Coordinates of all heavy atoms in Angstrom, one line a residue:
L250 N -3.6 7.3 7.8 CA -2.5 7.0 8.8 C -1.2 7.5 8.1 O -0.7 6.8 7.2 CB -2.5 5.5 9.0 CG -1.5 4.9 10.0 CD1 -1.7 5.6 11.4 CD2 -1.7 3.4 10.1
D251 N -0.7 8.6 8.6 CA 0.5 9.1 7.9 C 1.7 8.8 8.8 O 1.9 9.3 9.9 CB 0.4 10.7 7.8 CG 1.5 11.3 7.1 OD1 2.5 10.6 6.8 OD2 1.4 12.5 6.7
L252 N 2.5 7.8 8.3 CA 3.7 7.4 8.9 C 5.0 7.8 8.1 O 6.0 7.2 8.3 CB 3.7 5.9 9.2 CG 2.5 5.4 10.0 CD1 2.5 3.9 10.0 CD2 2.6 5.9 11.4
G253 N 4.8 8.7 7.2 CA 5.9 9.2 6.4 C 7.0 9.9 7.1 O 6.7 10.5 8.2
S254 N 8.2 9.9 6.6 CA 9.3 10.7 7.1 C 9.6 10.4 8.6 O 9.9 11.3 9.4 CB 9.1 12.2 6.9 OG 9.0 12.5 5.6
N255 N 9.6 9.1 8.9 CA 9.9 8.7 10.3 C 11.1 7.9 10.5 O 11.4 7.4 11.6 CB 8.7 8.0 10.9 CG 7.6 8.9 11.4 OD1 7.8 9.7 12.3 ND2 6.5 8.8 10.7
N256 N 11.9 7.7 9.4 CA 13.1 6.8 9.5 C 12.8 5.4 9.9 O 13.6 4.7 10.5 CB 14.2 7.4 10.4 CG 15.0 8.4 9.6 OD1 15.1 8.3 8.4 ND2 15.5 9.4 10.4
F257 N 11.5 4.9 9.7 CA 11.2 3.5 10.0 C 12.0 2.6 9.1 O 12.3 2.9 8.0 CB 9.7 3.2 9.8 CG 8.8 3.9 10.8 CD1 7.6 4.4 10.3 CD2 9.1 3.9 12.1 CE1 6.8 5.0 11.2 CE2 8.2 4.5 13.0 CZ 7.1 5.1 12.6
S258 N 12.5 1.5 9.7 CA 13.2 0.5 8.9 C 12.6 -0.8 9.0 O 11.7 -1.0 9.8 CB 14.7 0.5 9.3 OG 14.8 0.1 10.7
G259 N 13.1 -1.8 8.3 CA 12.5 -3.1 8.3 C 11.4 -3.3 7.2 O 11.4 -2.5 6.3
T260 N 10.6 -4.3 7.3 CA 9.6 -4.6 6.3 C 8.3 -3.9 6.7 O 8.0 -3.6 7.9 CB 9.4 -6.1 6.1 OG1 9.0 -6.7 7.4 CG2 10.7 -6.7 5.7
I261 N 7.4 -3.8 5.7 CA 6.0 -3.4 6.0 C 5.2 -4.5 6.7 O 5.2 -5.6 6.1 CB 5.3 -3.0 4.7 CG1 6.0 -1.8 4.0 CG2 3.8 -2.6 5.0 CD1 5.5 -1.4 2.6
P262 N 4.7 -4.3 7.8 CA 4.0 -5.3 8.5 C 2.8 -5.8 7.8 O 2.0 -5.0 7.3 CB 3.6 -4.7 9.9 CG 4.4 -3.5 10.0 CD 4.8 -3.0 8.6
T263 N 2.6 -7.2 7.7 CA 1.5 -7.7 7.0 C 0.2 -7.4 7.8 O -0.9 -7.4 7.3 CB 1.6 -9.3 6.9 OG1 1.8 -9.8 8.2 CG2 2.8 -9.6 6.0
L264 N 0.3 -7.1 9.1 CA -0.8 -6.8 9.9 C -1.6 -5.5 9.5 O -2.7 -5.3 9.9 CB -0.4 -6.7 11.4 CG 0.1 -7.9 12.1 CD1 0.6 -7.7 13.5 CD2 -1.1 -8.9 12.1
F265 N -0.9 -4.7 8.7 CA -1.6 -3.5 8.1 C -2.9 -4.0 7.4 O -3.8 -3.2 7.3 CB -0.7 -2.7 7.2 CG 0.2 -1.8 7.9 CD1 1.5 -1.5 7.4 CD2 -0.2 -1.1 9.1 CE1 2.3 -0.6 8.0 CE2 0.7 -0.2 9.7 CZ 1.9 0.1 9.2
G266 N -2.8 -5.1 6.8 CA -4.0 -5.6 6.1 C -5.2 -5.8 6.9 O -6.3 -5.9 6.4
Q267 N -5.1 -5.8 8.2 CA -6.3 -5.9 9.1 C -6.9 -4.6 9.5 O -7.9 -4.5 10.1 CB -5.8 -6.6 10.4 CG -5.4 -8.1 10.2 CD -4.9 -8.7 11.4 OE1 -5.1 -8.2 12.5 NE2 -4.2 -9.9 11.3
L268 N -6.3 -3.5 9.0 CA -6.8 -2.1 9.3 C -7.9 -1.8 8.3 O -7.6 -1.2 7.2 CB -5.7 -1.1 9.3 CG -4.5 -1.4 10.2 CD1 -3.4 -0.4 10.0 CD2 -5.0 -1.3 11.7
Q269 N -9.1 -2.2 8.6 CA -10.2 -2.1 7.7 C -10.8 -0.7 7.5 O -11.5 -0.4 6.5 CB -11.3 -3.0 8.1 CG -10.9 -4.5 8.0 CD -10.5 -4.9 6.6 OE1 -11.2 -4.7 5.6 NE2 -9.2 -5.4 6.5
N270 N -10.5 0.2 8.4 CA -11.1 1.6 8.3 C -10.1 2.6 7.9 O -10.5 3.8 7.9 CB -11.8 1.9 9.6 CG -12.9 1.0 9.9 OD1 -13.8 0.7 9.1 ND2 -13.0 0.6 11.2
V271 N -8.9 2.3 7.6 CA -7.9 3.2 7.2 C -8.1 3.6 5.7 O -8.1 2.7 4.9 CB -6.5 2.7 7.4 CG1 -5.4 3.6 6.8 CG2 -6.2 2.5 8.9
R272 N -8.2 4.9 5.4 CA -8.4 5.3 4.1 C -7.1 5.7 3.4 O -6.9 5.6 2.2 CB -9.4 6.5 4.0 CG -10.8 6.1 4.4 CD -11.8 7.2 4.4 NE -11.5 8.2 3.4 CZ -11.6 9.5 3.5 NH1 -12.0 10.0 4.7 NH2 -11.4 10.3 2.6
H273 N -6.1 6.2 4.2 CA -4.8 6.6 3.6 C -3.7 5.9 4.4 O -3.7 6.1 5.6 CB -4.6 8.1 3.7 CG -5.7 8.9 3.0 ND1 -6.0 10.2 3.3 CD2 -6.5 8.6 1.9 CE1 -6.9 10.7 2.5 NE2 -7.2 9.7 1.6
L274 N -2.8 5.2 3.7 CA -1.7 4.7 4.3 C -0.4 5.3 3.7 O -0.1 5.0 2.5 CB -1.7 3.1 4.2 CG -0.5 2.4 4.8 CD1 -0.4 2.7 6.3 CD2 -0.6 0.9 4.7
I275 N 0.2 6.1 4.4 CA 1.3 6.9 3.8 C 2.6 6.5 4.6 O 2.8 6.7 5.8 CB 1.1 8.4 4.0 CG1 -0.2 8.8 3.3 CG2 2.3 9.2 3.5 CD1 -0.7 10.2 3.6
L276 N 3.5 5.8 3.8 CA 4.7 5.3 4.4 C 6.0 5.9 3.7 O 7.0 5.3 3.8 CB 4.7 3.7 4.2 CG 3.6 3.0 4.9 CD1 3.6 1.5 4.6 CD2 3.7 3.2 6.4
W277 N 5.8 6.9 2.9 CA 6.9 7.5 2.1 C 8.0 8.0 3.0 O 7.8 8.3 4.1 CB 6.3 8.5 1.1 CG 5.8 9.8 1.7 CD1 4.9 9.9 2.8 CD2 6.2 11.1 1.4 NE1 4.7 11.2 3.0 CE2 5.5 12.0 2.2 CE3 7.1 11.6 0.4 CZ2 5.6 13.3 2.1 CZ3 7.2 13.0 0.3 CH2 6.5 13.8 1.2
K278 N 9.2 8.1 2.4 CA 10.4 8.7 3.0 C 10.7 8.0 4.3 O 10.9 8.7 5.3 CB 10.2 10.2 3.2 CG 10.2 11.0 1.9 CD 10.3 12.4 2.1 CE 10.3 13.2 0.8 NZ 10.4 14.6 1.0
N279 N 10.8 6.7 4.3 CA 11.3 5.9 5.4 C 12.5 5.1 4.9 O 13.1 5.4 3.8 CB 10.2 5.0 6.0 CG 9.3 5.8 6.9 OD1 9.7 6.3 7.9 ND2 8.0 5.9 6.4
K280 N 12.8 4.1 5.6 CA 13.9 3.2 5.1 C 13.4 1.7 5.1 O 14.1 0.8 5.5 CB 15.1 3.3 6.1 CG 15.7 4.7 6.1 CD 16.9 4.8 7.0 CE 17.4 6.3 6.9 NZ 18.4 6.5 7.9
L281 N 12.2 1.6 4.6 CA 11.6 0.3 4.5 C 12.2 -0.6 3.4 O 12.6 -0.1 2.4 CB 10.1 0.4 4.3 CG 9.3 1.2 5.4 CD1 7.9 1.5 4.9 CD2 9.3 0.4 6.7
T282 N 12.3 -1.9 3.7 CA 13.0 -2.8 2.8 C 12.0 -4.0 2.5 O 11.0 -4.1 3.2 CB 14.3 -3.3 3.4 OG1 14.0 -3.9 4.7 CG2 15.3 -2.2 3.5
G283 N 12.4 -4.9 1.6 CA 11.7 -6.0 1.3 C 10.6 -5.7 0.3 O 10.8 -4.8 -0.5
T284 N 9.6 -6.5 0.2 CA 8.5 -6.4 -0.8 C 7.3 -5.8 -0.1 O 7.1 -5.8 1.1 CB 8.2 -7.7 -1.4 OG1 7.8 -8.6 -0.4 CG2 9.4 -8.3 -2.2
I285 N 6.4 -5.4 -1.0 CA 5.1 -4.8 -0.5 C 4.2 -6.0 -0.2 O 3.9 -6.8 -1.1 CB 4.5 -3.9 -1.5 CG1 5.4 -2.7 -1.7 CG2 3.1 -3.4 -1.1 CD1 5.2 -1.9 -2.9
P286 N 3.7 -6.2 1.0 CA 2.9 -7.3 1.3 C 1.5 -7.3 0.6 O 0.8 -6.3 0.5 CB 2.7 -7.3 2.8 CG 3.0 -5.9 3.2 CD 3.9 -5.3 2.2
R287 N 1.1 -8.5 0.1 CA -0.2 -8.6 -0.6 C -1.3 -8.3 0.4 O -2.4 -7.9 -0.1 CB -0.3 -9.9 -1.3 CG -0.3 -11.1 -0.3 CD -0.4 -12.4 -1.1 NE -0.1 -13.5 -0.2 CZ -1.0 -14.1 0.6 NH1 -2.2 -13.6 0.6 NH2 -0.7 -15.1 1.4
E288 N -1.1 -8.4 1.7 CA -2.2 -8.2 2.6 C -2.7 -6.8 2.6 O -3.8 -6.5 3.0 CB -1.7 -8.6 4.1 CG -1.5 -10.0 4.3 CD -0.2 -10.6 3.8 OE1 0.6 -9.9 3.2 OE2 0.0 -11.8 4.0
I289 N -1.9 -5.8 2.1 CA -2.4 -4.5 2.0 C -3.6 -4.4 1.1 O -4.5 -3.6 1.3 CB -1.3 -3.6 1.3 CG1 0.0 -3.5 2.2 CG2 -1.8 -2.2 1.0 CD1 -0.2 -2.9 3.6
G290 N -3.8 -5.3 0.2 CA -4.9 -5.4 -0.6 C -6.2 -5.8 0.1 O -7.3 -5.7 -0.4
S291 N -6.1 -6.2 1.4 CA -7.3 -6.5 2.2 C -7.8 -5.3 2.9 O -8.9 -5.4 3.6 CB -6.9 -7.6 3.3 OG -6.5 -8.8 2.6
M292 N -7.2 -4.2 2.8 CA -7.6 -2.9 3.4 C -8.8 -2.4 2.6 O -8.6 -1.6 1.7 CB -6.5 -2.0 3.6 CG -5.3 -2.5 4.4 SD -3.9 -1.4 4.5 CE -4.6 -0.1 5.5
A293 N -10.0 -2.8 3.0 CA -11.2 -2.5 2.2 C -11.5 -1.0 2.0 O -12.1 -0.6 1.0 CB -12.4 -3.2 2.8
S294 N -11.1 -0.1 2.9 CA -11.4 1.3 2.8 C -10.3 2.1 2.2 O -10.4 3.3 2.1 CB -11.7 1.8 4.2 OG -12.9 1.2 4.8
L295 N -9.2 1.4 1.9 CA -8.0 2.2 1.4 C -8.2 2.9 0.1 O -8.7 2.3 -0.8 CB -6.8 1.2 1.3 CG -5.4 1.8 1.1 CD1 -5.0 2.6 2.4 CD2 -4.4 0.7 0.9
E296 N -7.9 4.2 0.1 CA -8.0 5.0 -1.1 C -6.7 5.5 -1.6 O -6.5 5.8 -2.7 CB -8.9 6.2 -0.8 CG -10.3 5.9 -0.4 CD -11.1 7.1 0.0 OE1 -10.6 8.2 0.0 OE2 -12.3 6.9 0.4
M297 N -5.7 5.6 -0.6 CA -4.4 6.2 -1.0 C -3.3 5.3 -0.3 O -3.4 5.1 0.9 CB -4.3 7.6 -0.5 CG -2.9 8.2 -0.8 SD -2.7 9.9 -0.1 CE -4.0 10.8 -1.0
F298 N -2.3 4.9 -1.1 CA -1.2 4.1 -0.6 C 0.1 4.6 -1.2 O 0.2 4.6 -2.4 CB -1.4 2.6 -0.9 CG -0.3 1.7 -0.4 CD1 0.1 1.8 0.9 CD2 0.2 0.7 -1.2 CE1 1.1 0.9 1.4 CE2 1.2 -0.1 -0.8 CZ 1.7 0.0 0.5
Q299 N 0.9 5.2 -0.3 CA 2.1 5.8 -0.8 C 3.4 5.2 -0.2 O 3.5 5.2 1.1 CB 2.1 7.3 -0.5 CG 1.0 8.1 -1.3 CD 1.1 9.6 -1.0 OE1 1.4 10.0 0.1 NE2 0.8 10.3 -2.0
V300 N 4.2 4.6 -1.0 CA 5.4 4.0 -0.5 C 6.7 4.5 -1.2 O 7.7 3.8 -1.2 CB 5.4 2.5 -0.5 CG1 4.3 1.9 0.5 CG2 5.0 1.9 -1.9
V301 N 6.6 5.7 -1.8 CA 7.8 6.2 -2.5 C 8.9 6.5 -1.5 O 8.7 6.8 -0.4 CB 7.5 7.4 -3.4 CG1 6.5 7.0 -4.5 CG2 6.9 8.5 -2.6
Y302 N 10.1 6.5 -2.1 CA 11.3 6.9 -1.3 C 11.6 6.0 -0.1 O 11.8 6.4 1.0 CB 11.3 8.4 -0.9 CG 11.0 9.3 -2.0 CD1 9.9 10.1 -2.1 CD2 11.9 9.3 -3.1 CE1 9.7 10.9 -3.1 CE2 11.6 10.2 -4.2 CZ 10.5 11.0 -4.2 OH 10.3 11.8 -5.3
N303 N 11.6 4.7 -0.4 CA 12.0 3.6 0.5 C 13.0 2.7 -0.2 O 13.5 3.1 -1.3 CB 10.8 2.8 1.0 CG 10.0 3.6 2.1 OD1 10.4 3.7 3.2 ND2 8.8 4.1 1.7
Y304 N 13.2 1.6 0.3 CA 14.2 0.6 -0.3 C 13.4 -0.7 -0.7 O 14.0 -1.7 -0.5 CB 15.4 0.4 0.6 CG 16.2 1.6 0.8 CD1 16.0 2.4 2.0 CD2 17.0 2.1 -0.1 CE1 16.7 3.5 2.2 CE2 17.8 3.3 0.1 CZ 17.6 4.0 1.3 OH 18.3 5.1 1.5
L305 N 12.2 -0.5 -1.1 CA 11.3 -1.7 -1.4 C 11.7 -2.2 -2.8 O 12.1 -1.5 -3.6 CB 9.9 -1.3 -1.3 CG 9.4 -0.8 0.0 CD1 8.0 -0.1 -0.1 CD2 9.3 -2.0 1.0
T306 N 11.5 -3.5 -3.0 CA 11.8 -4.1 -4.2 C 10.6 -5.1 -4.6 O 9.7 -5.3 -3.9 CB 13.1 -5.0 -4.2 OG1 12.9 -6.0 -3.1 CG2 14.3 -4.1 -3.8
G307 N 10.7 -5.6 -5.8 CA 9.7 -6.6 -6.3 C 8.6 -5.9 -7.1 O 8.7 -4.8 -7.6
E308 N 7.4 -6.6 -7.1 CA 6.3 -6.1 -7.8 C 5.2 -5.6 -6.8 O 5.1 -6.2 -5.7 CB 5.7 -7.3 -8.6 CG 6.4 -7.6 -9.9 CD 5.6 -8.5 -10.8 OE1 4.5 -8.2 -11.1 OE2 6.2 -9.5 -11.2
M309 N 4.4 -4.6 -7.3 CA 3.3 -4.2 -6.5 C 2.3 -5.4 -6.6 O 1.9 -5.8 -7.8 CB 2.6 -3.0 -7.1 CG 1.5 -2.5 -6.4 SD 1.8 -1.9 -4.7 CE 2.8 -0.4 -5.1
P310 N 1.8 -6.0 -5.5 CA 0.9 -7.1 -5.6 C -0.4 -6.8 -6.3 O -0.9 -5.7 -6.2 CB 0.7 -7.4 -4.1 CG 1.8 -6.8 -3.4 CD 2.2 -5.6 -4.2
S311 N -0.8 -7.8 -7.0 CA -2.1 -7.6 -7.8 C -3.2 -7.4 -6.8 O -4.2 -6.7 -7.1 CB -2.4 -8.8 -8.6 OG -2.5 -10.0 -7.8
E312 N -3.1 -7.9 -5.6 CA -4.2 -7.6 -4.6 C -4.3 -6.1 -4.2 O -5.4 -5.6 -3.9 CB -3.9 -8.4 -3.3 CG -4.0 -9.9 -3.4 CD -2.7 -10.6 -3.9 OE1 -1.8 -9.9 -4.3 OE2 -2.7 -11.8 -4.0
V313 N -3.2 -5.4 -4.3 CA -3.2 -4.0 -4.0 C -3.7 -3.3 -5.2 O -4.5 -2.3 -5.1 CB -1.7 -3.5 -3.6 CG1 -1.7 -2.0 -3.5 CG2 -1.3 -4.2 -2.4
C314 N -3.3 -3.6 -6.4 CA -3.7 -3.0 -7.6 C -5.2 -3.2 -7.8 O -5.9 -2.3 -8.4 CB -3.0 -3.6 -8.8 SG -1.3 -3.1 -8.9
G315 N -5.8 -4.3 -7.3 CA -7.2 -4.6 -7.5 C -8.1 -4.3 -6.3 O -9.1 -5.0 -6.2
I316 N -7.7 -3.4 -5.4 CA -8.6 -3.2 -4.3 C -10.0 -2.7 -4.8 O -10.1 -1.9 -5.6 CB -8.0 -2.1 -3.4 CG1 -6.8 -2.7 -2.6 CG2 -9.0 -1.6 -2.4 CD1 -6.1 -1.7 -1.7
V317 N -11.0 -3.4 -4.2 CA -12.4 -3.1 -4.6 C -13.2 -2.7 -3.3 O -12.7 -3.1 -2.2 CB -13.0 -4.3 -5.3 CG1 -12.4 -4.5 -6.7 CG2 -13.0 -5.5 -4.5
P318 N -14.2 -2.0 -3.4 CA -15.0 -1.7 -4.6 C -14.5 -0.5 -5.4 O -14.8 -0.4 -6.6 CB -16.4 -1.4 -4.1 CG -16.2 -0.9 -2.7 CD -14.9 -1.6 -2.2
V319 N -13.7 0.3 -4.8 CA -13.1 1.5 -5.5 C -11.6 1.4 -5.6 O -10.9 1.1 -4.7 CB -13.5 2.8 -4.7 CG1 -13.0 4.0 -5.4 CG2 -15.0 2.9 -4.4
P320 N -11.1 1.5 -6.9 CA -9.7 1.5 -7.0 C -9.0 2.6 -6.3 O -9.6 3.6 -6.0 CB -9.5 1.6 -8.5 CG -10.8 1.4 -9.1 CD -11.8 1.7 -8.1
L321 N -7.7 2.4 -5.9 CA -7.0 3.5 -5.2 C -6.9 4.8 -6.1 O -6.6 4.7 -7.2 CB -5.6 3.0 -4.9 CG -5.5 1.8 -4.0 CD1 -4.0 1.3 -3.9 CD2 -6.0 2.2 -2.6
S322 N -7.2 5.9 -5.4 CA -7.1 7.2 -6.1 C -5.6 7.6 -6.3 O -5.3 8.3 -7.2 CB -7.9 8.3 -5.4 OG -7.4 8.5 -4.1
K323 N -4.8 7.2 -5.3 CA -3.4 7.5 -5.5 C -2.6 6.3 -5.0 O -2.7 5.8 -3.8 CB -3.0 8.7 -4.6 CG -1.5 9.0 -4.8 CD -1.3 10.5 -4.6 CE 0.2 10.8 -5.0 NZ 0.4 12.2 -5.1
L324 N -1.8 5.7 -5.9 CA -0.9 4.6 -5.5 C 0.5 5.0 -6.1 O 0.7 5.2 -7.3 CB -1.4 3.3 -6.2 CG -0.5 2.1 -6.1 CD1 -0.4 1.7 -4.6 CD2 -1.2 0.9 -6.8
S325 N 1.4 5.2 -5.2 CA 2.8 5.6 -5.6 C 3.8 4.7 -5.0 O 3.7 4.2 -3.9 CB 3.0 7.1 -5.2 OG 2.9 7.2 -3.8
A326 N 4.9 4.5 -5.8 CA 6.0 3.6 -5.5 C 7.2 4.1 -6.2 O 7.2 4.9 -7.1 CB 5.7 2.2 -5.7
D327 N 8.4 3.5 -5.9 CA 9.6 3.8 -6.6 C 9.7 2.9 -7.9 O 10.4 1.9 -7.9 CB 10.8 3.5 -5.7 CG 10.8 4.4 -4.5 OD1 10.5 5.6 -4.7 OD2 11.1 4.0 -3.4
C328 N 8.9 3.3 -8.9 CA 8.7 2.4 -10.1 C 9.2 3.1 -11.3 O 9.0 2.6 -12.4 CB 7.3 2.0 -10.2 SG 6.0 3.3 -10.1
E329 N 9.8 4.2 -11.2 CA 10.3 5.0 -12.4 C 11.6 4.3 -12.9 O 12.4 3.8 -12.1 CB 10.6 6.4 -12.0 CG 11.1 7.3 -13.2 CD 10.0 7.5 -14.2 OE1 8.8 7.6 -13.9 OE2 10.4 7.5 -15.4
G330 N 11.8 4.2 -14.1 CA 13.1 3.7 -14.6 C 13.0 2.5 -15.6 O 13.9 1.8 -15.9
G331 N 11.7 2.1 -16.0 CA 11.6 1.1 -16.9 C 12.1 -0.3 -16.4 O 11.7 -0.7 -15.3
E332 N 13.0 -0.9 -17.1 CA 13.5 -2.2 -16.8 C 14.4 -2.1 -15.5 O 14.6 -3.1 -14.8 CB 14.4 -2.7 -17.9 CG 13.6 -3.1 -19.1 CD 14.5 -3.7 -20.2 OE1 15.7 -3.9 -20.0 OE2 14.0 -3.8 -21.3
N333 N 14.8 -0.9 -15.1 CA 15.7 -0.7 -13.9 C 14.8 -0.3 -12.7 O 15.4 0.1 -11.7 CB 16.8 0.2 -14.2 CG 17.7 -0.3 -15.3 OD1 18.1 -1.4 -15.3 ND2 18.1 0.6 -16.2
A334 N 13.5 -0.3 -12.8 CA 12.7 0.1 -11.7 C 12.9 -0.7 -10.5 O 13.2 -1.9 -10.6 CB 11.2 0.0 -12.1
I335 N 12.8 -0.1 -9.3 CA 13.0 -0.8 -8.1 C 11.8 -1.6 -7.7 O 11.9 -2.7 -7.3 CB 13.3 0.3 -7.0 CG1 14.6 1.1 -7.3 CG2 13.4 -0.4 -5.6 CD1 14.8 2.3 -6.4
V336 N 10.6 -1.0 -8.0 CA 9.3 -1.7 -7.8 C 8.6 -1.7 -9.1 O 8.5 -0.7 -9.7 CB 8.4 -1.0 -6.7 CG1 7.1 -1.6 -6.6 CG2 9.1 -1.0 -5.3
V337 N 8.2 -2.9 -9.6 CA 7.4 -3.0 -10.8 C 6.0 -2.7 -10.5 O 5.4 -3.4 -9.6 CB 7.6 -4.4 -11.4 CG1 6.8 -4.5 -12.7 CG2 9.1 -4.6 -11.7
C338 N 5.4 -1.7 -11.1 CA 4.0 -1.3 -10.7 C 3.3 -0.8 -12.0 O 3.5 0.3 -12.4 CB 4.0 -0.3 -9.6 SG 2.3 0.1 -9.1
G339 N 2.5 -1.7 -12.6 CA 1.7 -1.3 -13.7 C 0.4 -0.5 -13.4 O -0.2 0.0 -14.3
C340 N 0.1 -0.4 -12.1 CA -1.1 0.2 -11.7 C -0.9 1.5 -10.9 O -1.8 2.1 -10.4 CB -2.0 -0.7 -10.9 SG -1.3 -1.3 -9.4
C341 N 0.4 1.9 -10.7 CA 0.7 3.1 -9.9 C 0.3 4.4 -10.6 O 0.4 4.5 -11.9 CB 2.2 3.2 -9.6 SG 2.7 2.0 -8.3
S342 N -0.3 5.3 -9.9 CA -0.6 6.6 -10.5 C 0.6 7.6 -10.4 O 0.5 8.6 -11.1 CB -1.8 7.2 -9.7 OG -1.5 7.4 -8.3
Y343 N 1.6 7.3 -9.7 CA 2.8 8.1 -9.6 C 4.0 7.2 -9.4 O 4.0 6.3 -8.5 CB 2.7 9.1 -8.5 CG 4.0 9.9 -8.3 CD1 4.4 10.9 -9.1 CD2 4.9 9.5 -7.3 CE1 5.6 11.6 -9.0 CE2 6.1 10.2 -7.1 CZ 6.4 11.2 -8.0 OH 7.6 11.9 -7.8
C344 N 5.1 7.4 -10.1 CA 6.3 6.6 -10.0 C 7.5 7.6 -9.7 O 7.6 8.6 -10.3 CB 6.6 5.8 -11.2 SG 5.5 4.4 -11.5
A345 N 8.3 7.2 -8.7 CA 9.5 8.0 -8.4 C 10.7 7.1 -8.7 O 10.6 5.9 -9.0 CB 9.5 8.4 -7.0
T346 N 11.9 7.7 -8.7 CA 13.1 6.9 -8.9 C 13.7 6.3 -7.7 O 14.7 5.6 -7.7 CB 14.2 7.8 -9.6 OG1 14.4 8.9 -8.8 CG2 13.7 8.2 -11.0
G347 N 13.2 6.6 -6.5 CA 13.7 6.1 -5.3 C 14.9 6.8 -4.8 O 15.3 7.9 -5.4
Y348 N 15.5 6.3 -3.8 CA 16.8 7.0 -3.2 C 17.9 6.5 -4.0 O 18.0 5.4 -4.6 CB 17.0 6.6 -1.8 CG 16.0 7.2 -0.8 CD1 15.2 6.5 0.0 CD2 16.0 8.6 -0.7 CE1 14.4 7.1 0.9 CE2 15.1 9.3 0.2 CZ 14.3 8.5 1.0 OH 13.5 9.1 1.9
D349 N 19.0 7.3 -4.1 CA 20.2 7.0 -4.8 C 21.0 6.0 -4.0 O 21.0 6.1 -2.8 CB 21.0 8.2 -5.1 CG 20.3 9.1 -6.2 OD1 19.7 8.5 -7.1 OD2 20.4 10.3 -6.1

């Protein structure tokens, strides 16, 4: 489900967690705010989750980092920058610096 580069704003809907057959959730390059909902971790078929280049904050939920049975092959967020990271993500396979 590629919803990238659409200028979407607001928060990521928790209802995404009910999408059990979605393998790729791509939300990059929007204007999303708030935190990443833990319900994303309920997406049993999810293999790729990309939320870079948004205005999200907080920590990547442990439910997302621990998706089973197969860990995410690509998990990206605006987590570059060490202590100044926008999103804290110890399990991301790619980190960006976000928008200026």
Side-chain angles (χ1 to χ4, degrees):
L250 182 58
D251 187 349
L252 301 173
S254 299
N255 280 295
N256 276 332
F257 290 138
S258 59
T260 60
I261 297 174
T263 58
L264 292 175
F265 277 146
Q267 296 177 12
L268 302 174
Q269 295 302 303
N270 296 316
V271 171
R272 291 181 35 222
H273 300 157
L274 181 55
I275 301 169
L276 301 172
W277 69 307
K278 291 188 179 179
N279 282 295
K280 296 178 181 176
L281 299 171
T282 57
T284 59
I285 298 164
R287 62 182 170 82
E288 288 82 0
I289 298 295
S291 298
M292 298 176 71
S294 299
L295 194 64
E296 298 172 1
M297 179 185 297
F298 181 47
Q299 296 182 323
V300 291
V301 293
Y302 308 118
N303 280 289
Y304 299 100
L305 299 166
T306 58
E308 284 192 51
M309 183 65 68
S311 61
E312 292 86 352
V313 175
C314 292
I316 288 179
V317 292
V319 180
L321 296 173
S322 62
K323 182 152 189 167
L324 177 59
S325 59
D327 297 321
C328 50
E329 183 68 37
E332 292 179 11
N333 297 318
I335 300 167
V336 174
V337 176
C338 185
C340 63
C341 284
S342 58
Y343 174 77
C344 288
T346 56
Y348 286 122
D349 292 325

